[in-house]
């Protein structure tokens, strides 16, 4: 249960951070472009969500490494956007 609580808090914090950053029109435009690109690749949204739920970091990194390069670049772009 501690792990689930931690994951929930991490997800909650991520959502709060995303909501705050979406107030910036430039961020929102870039983020929406990335999301649109994600959605244009069949099955990628479900796969990224599945990977995001993997608790073991090594297993998560291994799963991410199997994604197509285009998807890996989009994931990196999202991380970079969120951490600007």
């Amino acid at each position: 249960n501690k792990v689930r609580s931690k994951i929930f808090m991490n997800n909650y914090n991520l959502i709060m951070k995303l909501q705050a950053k979406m107030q910036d029109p430039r961020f929102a435009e870039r983020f929406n472009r990335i999301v649109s690109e994600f959605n244009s690749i069949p099955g990628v949204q479900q796969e990224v969500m599945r990977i995001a739920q993997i608790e073991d970091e090594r297993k998560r990194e291994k799963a991410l490494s199997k994604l197509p390069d285009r998807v890996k670049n989009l994931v990196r772009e999202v991380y970079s956007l969120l951490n600007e």
Side-chain angles (χ1 to χ4, degrees):
N1 273 345
K2 278 187 177 182
V3 171
R4 279 200 179 123
S5 294
K6 184 178 178 184
I7 291 171
F8 173 76
M9 284 307 294
N10 287 342
N11 289 338
Y12 177 77
N13 291 339
L14 177 64
I15 290 168
M16 295 307 292
K17 185 175 189 176
L18 182 58
Q19 284 181 333
K21 285 187 162 278
M22 288 299 276
Q23 302 304 311
D24 174 1
R26 288 182 327 151
F27 174 90
E29 186 274 324
R30 289 170 64 198
F31 184 81
N32 287 330
R33 180 189 53 77
I34 294 168
V35 168
S36 183
E37 203 167 331
F38 263 128
N39 291 336
S40 74
I41 305 169
V44 79
Q45 188 177 26
Q46 294 83 0
E47 185 62 12
V48 169
M49 292 305 292
R50 184 190 70 76
I51 291 171
Q53 294 173 359
I54 297 174
E55 293 174 24
D56 183 301
E57 190 165 340
R58 250 184 276 151
K59 289 179 182 177
R60 188 174 51 247
E61 287 299 321
K62 186 176 180 180
L64 280 170
S65 74
K66 294 178 182 177
L67 291 172
D69 288 340
R70 179 175 170 211
V71 175
K72 284 189 264 190
N73 289 335
L74 290 173
V75 169
R76 283 189 203 106
E77 238 183 293
V78 169
Y79 276 118
S80 132
L81 260 181
L82 288 172
N83 293 314
E84 282 183 347

